[in-house]
């Protein structure tokens, strides 16, 4: 539950710190004093959007802190997100500066706004004074019924199954409508796959082909050059080898006259050996050099075929294998999609899965609809709508939709003998408020959130009905923490504790009321320019009721 709320420089609040206890607590005060600002501040700490306008004029930033005692389930969420703090408690903190920049923290660690909102789902449920308006929408009515029935996960599974079935049904219908186009596309792809498969392009083989073609295309020049080199080095009358031999012989004849010649002769010998090895290699190269014109023609035909395919499909040669794989994949999809029997079988299987899940959801809804109809009708009659009736209508949808096989709608008859009408068509705002409150109170019993906040949900009611509302909230507070902003003394007098909010010098102030303070505040709420002893006695009487 909420243990403490700290507010600094928020709208008209300069600084405020409130400690809370269990049970039913009310906030009262003059209009404009800032009662609902407390709820707005807590909502900000729980992840509501905020901008620079919430920062008190003249301040640099607004800061909200909310401390909670936590459940084991929420402790598990904190552990999963590495946000654990002191055992059994959690501190949420939100800062919005004057430029509108926002920062959020859980137990002192920076978090995203989404994480803050996830945390809030474990901690607090806030019902504003216009919460009844959301109940006018069919989607909200269906959502509430599913939550009460504990069928949220089942409803999600139904939605997923419906989308899968719809997707397969759409694919089957598209095939039937576009069969000629699909057949033409399949024929084109089949021809493309056959052509590219026959081409059998392989990148290493392609690179080797280019290399070999280049060599064969210049074979005559290579042969001529190699033979010229052989002739110059060894085969001509005045070749290098013969001249080196002559040089070596001449130096040998002079070696006896000067020992320094002996140091030069090894260099001549080395040159002779190198040239001889070059001659050997050239002869080997000439023997291997292929002048096969047939091979050259075959290679050039292969290169032409690859380039032709490359130009045709407008891709570089290197991308031809990837193009082939894509064509095969798409052809496989079309072949599979083109099997109408297989499509019908898949569609039928998906529909069966959807219908099985939807029937389970329908059974859960029927059971909860009957219970909700009875309990809300009873609550309406407690709230002075004698003869009023509430009913949850489940209108069958032959084909079903993503929300199940029925349309959920709340129907109401405010007076005996009047026909049931959709809740959205209830004319009286006061009646709508009471019906909405009855639905909310029942719905909240099914929730596990420990703290419930009502922001002037009692607008439009008064007198004995207001007292009944107060008692409903008091009973609700026996099982969890209930905080309520109210302007009705009948509701405030039912609370376990009470805070008074006032506005002094343009700033909001709050104080916890003791017994006498509550008497004075209830007397003020009862009205009158001057609070008399009679009014105080009336206030004491209201506070003394069980």
């Amino acid at each position: 539950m909420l243990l403490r709320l700290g507010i600094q420089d928020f709208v008209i609040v300069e600084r405020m710190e409130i400690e809370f206890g269990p049970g039913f607590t009310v906030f009262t005060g003059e209009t404009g004093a800032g009662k609902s600002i407390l709820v707005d501040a807590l909502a900000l700490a729980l992840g509501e959007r905020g901008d620079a306008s919430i920062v008190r004029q003249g301040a640099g930033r607004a800061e909200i802190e909310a401390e909670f005692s936590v459940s084991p389930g929420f402790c598990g969420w904190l552990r999963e997100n590495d946000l654990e703090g002191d055992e059994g408690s959690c501190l949420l903190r939100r800062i919005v500066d004057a430029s509108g920049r926002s920062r959020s923290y859980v137990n002192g660690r920076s978090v995203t706004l989404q994480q803050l909102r996830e945390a809030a789902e474990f901690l607090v449920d806030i019902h504003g004074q216009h919460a009844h308006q959301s109940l006018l929408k069919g989607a909200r009515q269906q959502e509430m019924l599913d939550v009460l029935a504990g069928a949220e996960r089942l409803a999600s599974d139904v939605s997923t199954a419906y989308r899968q079935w719809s997707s397969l049904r759409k694919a089957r219908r598209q095939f039937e409508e576009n069969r000629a186009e699909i057949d033409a596309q399949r024929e084109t792809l089949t021809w493309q796959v056959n052509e590219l498969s026959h081409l059998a392009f392989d990148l290493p083989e392609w690179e080797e082909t280019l290399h070999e073609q280049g060599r064969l295309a210049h074979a005559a020049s290579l042969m001529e050059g190699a033979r010229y080199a052989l002739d110059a080095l060894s085969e001509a009358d005045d070749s290098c080898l013969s001249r080196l031999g002559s040089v070596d012989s001449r130096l040998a004849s002079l070696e006896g006259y000067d020992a320094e010649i002996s140091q030069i002769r090894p260099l001549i010998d080395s040159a002779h050996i190198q040239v001889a090895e070059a001659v050997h290699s050239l002869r080997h190269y000439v023997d291997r050099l292929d002048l096969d014109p047939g091979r050259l023609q075959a290679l050039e035909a292969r290169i032409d075929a690859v380039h032709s395919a490359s130009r045709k499909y407008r891709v570089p040669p290197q991308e031809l294998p990837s193009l082939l794989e894509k064509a095969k994949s798409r052809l496989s999809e079309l072949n599979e999609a083109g099997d109408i029997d297989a499509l019908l079988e898949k569609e039928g299987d998906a529909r069966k899965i959807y219908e099985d899940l939807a029937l389970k959801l329908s059974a859960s809804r029927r059971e909860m609809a009957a219970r909700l109809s009875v309990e809300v009708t009873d609550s309406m009659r407690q709230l002075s709508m004698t003869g009023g009736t509430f009913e949850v209508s489940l209108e069958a949808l032959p084909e079903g939709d993503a929300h199940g096989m029925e349309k959920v709608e709340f129907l109401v008859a405010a007076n005996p003998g009047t026909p049931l009408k959709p809740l959205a068509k209830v004319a009286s705002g006061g009646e709508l408020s009471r019906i909405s409150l009855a639905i909310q109170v029942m719905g909240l019993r099914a929730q596990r959130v420990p703290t419930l906040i009502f922001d002037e949900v009692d607008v439009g009611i008064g007198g004995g009905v207001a007292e009944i509302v107060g008692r409903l909230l008091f009973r609700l507070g026996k099982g969890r923490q209930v905080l309520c902003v109210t302007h009705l003394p009948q509701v405030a007098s039912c609370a376990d504790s009470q805070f008074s909010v006032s506005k002094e010098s343009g700033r909001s102030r709050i104080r916890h009321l003791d017994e006498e303070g509550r008497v004075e505040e209830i007397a003020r709420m009862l009205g009158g320019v001057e609070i008399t002893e009679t009014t105080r006695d009336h206030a004491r009487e209201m506070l003394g009721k069980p």
Side-chain angles (χ1 to χ4, degrees):
M1 70 175 190
L2 179 63
L3 302 177
R4 180 179 63 84
L5 179 65
I7 307 172
Q8 182 175 331
D9 293 325
F10 181 79
V11 193
I12 60 172
V13 177
E14 181 178 16
R15 186 181 295 273
M16 186 181 292
E17 187 154 326
I18 317 164
E19 293 186 355
F20 299 92
F24 177 30
T25 298
V26 293
F27 298 89
T28 60
E30 296 285 358
T31 300
K35 302 185 296 298
S36 292
I37 287 177
L38 300 177
V39 178
D40 294 340
L42 181 57
L44 187 72
L46 295 168
E48 285 292 322
R49 293 196 175 277
D51 54 36
S53 65
I54 68 169
V55 180
R56 187 175 63 83
Q57 189 173 4
R61 68 183 190 180
E63 184 171 342
I64 313 295
E65 282 191 352
E67 183 180 358
F68 295 86
S69 59
V70 295
S71 64
F74 184 47
C75 286
W77 183 89
L78 291 172
R79 280 194 300 272
E80 289 172 7
N81 289 273
D82 195 24
L83 295 170
E84 289 178 286
D86 293 339
E87 185 176 357
S89 70
C90 177
L91 181 66
L92 307 185
R93 184 168 171 240
R94 183 85 179 276
I95 298 172
V96 179
D97 62 30
S99 67
R101 182 171 176 267
S102 171
R103 287 167 288 163
S104 307
Y105 302 89
V106 173
N107 287 329
R109 296 180 180 89
S110 180
V111 296
T112 64
L113 205 56
Q114 181 58 36
Q115 286 177 302
L116 199 61
R117 289 170 181 162
E118 288 178 15
E121 292 178 4
F122 290 90
L123 301 171
V124 176
D125 194 2
I126 298 178
H127 292 260
Q129 56 182 300
H130 302 296
H132 60 274
Q133 294 177 355
S134 66
L135 286 176
L136 300 179
K137 300 176 182 178
R140 179 71 181 107
Q141 295 173 6
Q142 174 203 294
E143 180 185 347
M144 174 168 280
L145 183 65
D146 290 342
V147 168
L148 290 171
E152 295 166 282
R153 179 60 181 272
L154 183 56
S156 176
D157 291 343
V158 166
S159 180
T160 300
Y162 182 82
R163 288 195 300 272
Q164 292 173 342
W165 170 37
S166 296
S167 177
L168 289 168
R169 180 173 56 182
K170 181 180 178 181
R172 188 258 305 165
R173 288 175 175 173
Q174 283 181 339
F175 171 77
E176 291 176 341
E177 293 171 0
N178 305 312
R179 177 172 293 187
E181 181 181 341
I182 291 173
D183 287 345
Q185 188 178 0
R186 185 166 52 235
E187 183 178 349
T188 299
L189 284 168
T190 300
W191 187 82
Q192 182 177 332
V193 166
N194 289 337
E195 183 180 39
L196 291 176
S197 297
H198 179 72
L199 184 65
F201 180 88
D202 177 73
L203 186 57
E205 178 264 343
W206 171 245
E207 291 174 347
E208 177 58 31
T209 296
L210 292 175
H211 174 73
E212 186 180 356
Q213 186 271 342
R215 185 169 58 82
L216 288 178
H218 297 87
S221 297
L222 293 171
M223 179 69 75
E224 181 183 353
R227 289 198 177 280
Y228 172 80
L230 280 173
D231 189 55
L233 293 176
S234 70
E235 296 179 2
D237 293 338
D238 195 24
S239 68
C240 286
L241 283 177
S242 63
R243 296 194 71 178
L244 283 171
S246 298
V247 169
D248 187 54
S249 297
R250 183 68 180 271
L251 290 175
S253 67
L254 299 173
E255 194 173 7
Y257 303 112
D258 189 345
E260 194 172 341
I261 294 294
S262 300
Q263 297 176 9
I264 297 174
R265 283 194 64 207
L267 297 176
I268 303 301
D269 290 339
S270 176
H272 192 279
I273 292 170
Q274 293 292 325
V275 172
E277 288 182 359
V279 168
H280 176 75
S281 296
L282 279 169
R283 284 174 178 161
H284 183 66
Y285 174 74
V286 168
D287 290 342
R288 288 188 302 106
L289 197 58
D290 191 359
L291 293 176
D292 184 358
R295 176 60 178 165
L296 177 60
Q297 186 176 4
L299 291 172
E300 289 179 342
R302 171 65 173 167
I303 292 170
D304 286 343
V306 171
H307 281 307
S308 177
S310 176
R311 287 192 300 270
K312 181 176 182 178
Y313 297 110
R314 297 182 180 179
V315 296
Q318 295 82 351
E319 294 184 16
L320 288 173
S322 174
L323 180 66
L324 175 59
E325 290 306 312
K326 289 178 182 177
K328 285 181 177 178
S329 176
R330 178 58 180 156
L331 182 59
S332 176
E333 290 176 5
L334 289 178
N335 286 335
E336 184 177 347
D339 186 345
I340 189 65
D341 293 333
L343 286 174
L344 288 169
E345 183 179 357
K346 285 185 177 182
E347 181 186 345
D349 291 344
R351 178 170 182 168
K352 180 68 166 54
I353 292 171
Y354 165 73
E355 289 178 344
D356 289 346
L357 291 169
L359 287 172
K360 291 179 183 178
L361 180 61
S362 296
S364 296
R365 285 174 172 172
R366 281 195 299 271
E367 182 179 348
M368 180 48 62
R371 181 181 162 195
L372 185 62
S373 298
V374 171
E375 293 198 21
V376 173
T377 295
D378 289 345
S379 294
M380 287 169 60
R381 291 171 181 174
Q382 290 179 42
L383 294 169
S384 295
M385 297 182 70
T386 306
T389 304
F390 177 86
E391 183 179 302
V392 180
S393 167
L394 300 177
E395 180 185 344
L397 300 174
E399 286 294 317
D401 62 17
H403 305 296
M405 302 192 73
E406 56 277 318
K407 175 185 176 183
V408 177
E409 188 169 33
F410 291 172
L411 304 178
V412 174
N415 300 297
T418 59
L420 288 163
K421 295 181 181 179
L423 184 62
K425 295 184 179 179
V426 174
S428 166
E431 289 173 345
L432 182 57
S433 294
R434 281 178 277 171
I435 295 167
S436 173
L437 184 60
I439 296 171
Q440 288 182 54
V441 168
M442 182 187 173
L444 291 169
R445 288 190 203 132
Q447 296 181 13
R448 295 183 292 273
V449 177
T451 299
L452 309 174
I453 298 177
F454 295 88
D455 184 11
E456 296 192 33
V457 293
D458 48 16
V459 169
I461 61 176
V465 176
E467 186 174 337
I468 293 170
V469 169
R471 290 176 180 173
L472 281 174
L473 294 175
F474 174 77
R475 288 202 297 270
L476 201 57
K478 290 300 181 183
R480 66 197 69 199
Q481 185 184 46
V482 176
L483 309 178
C484 179
V485 174
T486 183
H487 65 285
L488 297 177
Q490 297 92 332
V491 173
S493 63
C494 293
D496 295 302
S497 62
Q498 183 172 353
F499 288 88
S500 173
V501 183
S502 60
K503 192 174 183 182
E504 302 171 12
S505 303
R507 296 175 182 176
S508 190
R509 298 282 187 268
I510 190 167
R511 62 191 180 94
H512 185 259
L513 301 178
D514 58 15
E515 186 175 346
E516 282 305 310
R518 291 193 70 186
V519 169
E520 289 297 317
E521 178 66 4
I522 297 296
R524 181 198 64 76
M525 296 172 73
L526 285 168
V529 176
E530 183 180 347
I531 299 177
T532 66
E533 196 59 36
T534 301
T535 309
R536 291 187 179 92
D537 288 341
H538 187 190
R540 290 189 186 96
E541 181 182 358
M542 292 177 70
L543 287 166
K545 287 183 180 180

